[in-house]
Amino acid sequence: MKALNPLAASLLFITLSVYFTIYFPGTLTYFHLNPNSEPAIFISSPFNMSTEGAPLYNLYLPAVLIFIVGSYLKNFNKSFQRKCSLLAIFLMAIVASYIKSLGSLLYYRGYSDYGISLGTSIITLCFIITLIISLEVYIERKEKYGHLYGRFIFSILTTLVFIFGGLMLLAFFVTSSFIVHLMGVTAFLIIFVPYYERRNISKFARRNNANPRRSRKTD
């Protein structure tokens, strides 16, 4: 039963990607709307793979990655579960992708498709970043939880982090869309980190309100 949420997130990703890449233009045409208009391309941008043309890297592998990351967070990382959910990650990744599209629209204005960046890479990067952030439990509480996971699982997770980190670096520096990826990742971190640390931020705010610092001038 615990695999249902990660599986649902992965299937939702596939469904949205297939729909916005293949069927969304037809839906707009049916309603006598222009599928090549700027608003239409912008709406489909987080899941539209039409300009990338590589289903293996933009559909299948990201779907598997979402399932793996989701399964780990759902079944093994209790500390992360108390702070965030898969649905929240998915929604914030979509918002970050739209912010990326808006930024690329302004930055690459005049290029094909109005400069709007299409593709699923930002969604994928957001899940990679979430995985890396979620592993803070091993750094902060390594002695406390080490006996529960063992060296074997810790080694596997460390290897996955390096692999995913390598993929992220490739996405940044090997492709020609470094600025676009940087926009998306930055947008996600700006949204995700305050949400992820909202309890600590709230505690900090309450502590400051309870003990305000009052500066007094002395003559």
Side-chain angles (χ1 to χ4, degrees):
M1 294 297 291
K2 290 184 177 182
L4 288 180
N5 282 358
L7 181 60
S10 182
L11 291 177
L12 179 61
F13 172 82
I14 293 175
T15 302
L16 291 174
S17 298
V18 171
Y19 172 74
F20 280 110
T21 303
I22 300 175
Y23 299 104
F24 183 65
T27 302
L28 294 180
T29 302
Y30 178 80
F31 288 103
H32 305 289
L33 299 174
N34 182 8
N36 296 317
S37 65
E38 183 176 344
I41 294 175
F42 178 79
I43 290 172
S44 66
S45 60
F47 299 99
N48 194 329
M49 303 178 295
S50 59
T51 61
E52 297 183 339
L56 177 62
Y57 299 106
N58 297 292
L59 181 64
Y60 303 125
L61 286 182
V64 172
L65 184 145
I66 289 172
F67 178 76
I68 292 174
V69 173
S71 297
Y72 162 70
L73 296 177
K74 185 69 176 176
N75 296 284
F76 298 103
N77 198 322
K78 302 295 183 183
S79 176
F80 189 85
Q81 289 177 31
R82 290 192 292 268
K83 294 184 176 183
C84 195
S85 65
L86 287 182
L87 178 60
I89 297 169
F90 203 93
L91 292 177
M92 285 186 280
I94 294 174
V95 172
S97 186
Y98 276 123
I99 295 174
K100 169 268 303 179
S101 295
L102 180 61
S104 62
L105 185 152
L106 299 174
Y107 187 83
Y108 293 108
R109 191 72 181 184
Y111 286 73
S112 61
D113 295 332
Y114 309 97
I116 298 173
S117 176
L118 303 177
T120 61
S121 57
I122 299 301
I123 305 292
T124 308
L125 286 173
C126 290
F127 273 87
I128 293 174
I129 292 170
T130 301
L131 173 66
I132 295 173
I133 292 176
S134 73
L135 294 180
E136 67 173 351
V137 66
Y138 289 103
I139 298 174
E140 293 181 351
R141 305 173 185 178
K142 183 171 60 177
E143 293 81 7
K144 184 175 181 180
Y145 290 102
H147 67 284
L148 298 177
Y149 294 92
R151 289 186 176 183
F152 180 68
I153 294 180
F154 182 77
S155 299
I156 291 176
L157 291 174
T158 302
T159 303
L160 287 174
V161 168
F162 279 108
I163 292 174
F164 291 154
L167 292 174
M168 187 165 61
L169 290 176
L170 286 175
F172 273 3
F173 299 110
V174 175
T175 65
S176 60
S177 54
F178 165 75
I179 297 296
V180 172
H181 287 100
L182 186 60
M183 288 177 185
V185 168
T186 302
F188 179 74
L189 288 174
I190 291 174
I191 300 169
F192 178 78
V193 172
Y195 178 82
Y196 182 68
E197 296 293 346
R198 62 193 182 279
R199 292 180 182 175
N200 291 332
I201 294 172
S202 178
K203 289 179 182 177
F204 179 78
R206 288 198 300 268
R207 192 183 307 123
N208 281 357
N209 291 333
N211 301 296
R213 295 180 178 179
R214 297 179 180 178
S215 60
R216 297 180 179 178
K217 294 182 179 180
T218 57
D219 293 334

